[in-house]
Amino acid sequence: MGDSLLRRFWNAIKLPPPAPRRAWEVEAPSFWTRFWEAFKPPPPLQPVALEVRRRRRWMRTGAVAALAIGALGAAAGLYIHGAPQRAEAAYQAGMRLAAAGETAIAADDFTRSIRIWPRSAKAYLERGLARRILLQGDAALADFDRALKLNPKLAAAHVGRGAIFRDRGETGRALEEFGAAIAVEPGVDSYYQRGQVYEMLGQHEKAIQDYDAAIALRPSAPFVYRARATAEFNLGDRAGAARDRQRAGEMERPPGEPAQTTELRP
């Protein structure tokens, strides 16, 4: 006898049997397992391991250090970039003091300028001139040498060296330095100083030639006229000496003051 009506109805609506699980597939968790996993409370937080905390601390420290180094580097860059301006300010302060006769303090300012900017030839030159006035001859020569290494065309440094050698009685070396200054840049001071050395050596004609060259460069330099007057007098040219002394007196006389008679003496 065939299946009953009810069995046939059940067979029509019942779910098919599950497909057999393959060997490599993971068995699905049961309904109750999935239900528990969805609603169970989360596990308590575990403390961070010591090594992890240490690494994080080093990372924070490194980040702060990097920022600090970057800020210091930027500040150092700005400071170095402003060195020429700060050196120039110290140099100008020294020049003002030197003009006021504060030679020792001026030398300190030139030293400060050199420390800020060691390649400043003019700071070495001015410190050398100040040290010469302070009778620090060897130190002055060292400064002039350094100035010439930085700027070989600095004629004033040769003049400063020549003046020291002349003061020491080393007339040959003095003439060499004044000649080097003239070769670099002919100037009133270099011609005048070399003329003074020639006059010391009794070479009056050479002295007059240098004084002539100085006057050609600066016709309003009374000290050169007086020096030439001395050389002319020593050569027996009393009239020429009188004229040069009169010219020097006219240049030095304040306006409105009457002229004075020039004496014929060396």
Side-chain angles (χ1 to χ4, degrees):
M1 208 177 155
D3 292 337
S4 66
L5 177 64
L6 183 59
R7 179 174 295 274
R8 290 198 305 270
F9 176 76
W10 170 248
N11 289 336
I13 65 171
K14 71 177 181 180
L15 296 174
R21 182 172 59 86
R22 298 177 178 87
W24 64 84
E25 292 179 341
V26 179
E27 184 177 2
S30 67
F31 169 79
W32 293 109
T33 301
R34 295 197 303 272
F35 180 84
W36 172 248
E37 291 293 335
F39 289 95
K40 72 178 181 180
L45 296 176
Q46 298 296 324
V48 180
L50 178 62
E51 182 63 24
V52 175
R53 292 200 302 269
R54 183 181 297 113
R55 290 181 181 179
R56 290 178 179 176
R57 184 168 59 250
W58 276 109
M59 289 175 64
R60 289 194 296 268
T61 303
V64 173
L67 290 174
I69 292 172
L72 289 174
L78 290 174
Y79 186 82
I80 294 172
H81 182 72
Q85 291 78 12
R86 290 182 287 108
E88 179 65 19
Y91 171 81
Q92 293 297 336
M95 292 297 288
R96 289 191 293 271
L97 289 167
E102 299 289 346
T103 308
I105 305 176
D108 292 338
D109 275 335
F110 295 136
T111 298
R112 184 161 58 92
S113 177
I114 290 168
R115 286 175 180 169
I116 297 172
W117 193 250
R119 297 190 60 79
S120 177
K122 63 182 182 180
Y124 279 106
L125 170 65
E126 295 300 334
R127 189 174 70 173
L129 295 174
R131 286 175 166 177
R132 175 176 172 256
I133 295 173
L134 296 171
L135 302 180
Q136 301 172 5
D138 291 336
L141 285 174
D143 278 343
F144 293 141
D145 288 345
R146 183 60 179 165
L148 286 170
K149 287 180 180 179
L150 293 171
N151 183 5
K153 295 186 178 298
L154 200 59
H158 284 295
V159 174
R161 286 175 53 83
I164 292 175
F165 291 139
R166 182 197 59 206
D167 296 342
R168 292 179 173 181
E170 301 179 48
T171 54
R173 298 183 71 181
L175 289 174
E176 289 178 1
E177 292 295 337
F178 294 137
I182 292 170
V184 170
E185 182 182 359
V188 174
D189 197 30
S190 51
Y191 278 119
Y192 172 78
Q193 297 289 355
R194 192 173 69 172
Q196 292 281 282
V197 177
Y198 282 137
E199 188 65 22
M200 289 171 57
L201 297 173
Q203 301 177 25
H204 309 300
E205 295 88 348
K206 288 186 177 180
I208 290 174
Q209 290 175 4
D210 276 348
Y211 297 144
D212 289 344
I215 290 171
L217 292 173
R218 190 193 302 171
S220 60
F223 62 94
V224 183
Y225 285 100
R226 291 193 180 279
R228 189 171 70 174
T230 300
E232 290 167 340
F233 187 89
N234 289 332
L235 280 176
D237 184 4
R238 291 176 172 267
R243 286 193 301 270
D244 278 342
R245 287 185 179 278
Q246 182 175 357
R247 290 171 186 160
E250 291 172 353
M251 294 175 187
E252 296 170 339
R253 186 173 65 249
E257 182 177 313
Q260 297 180 355
T261 303
T262 304
E263 298 180 8
L264 293 178
R265 56 184 177 81

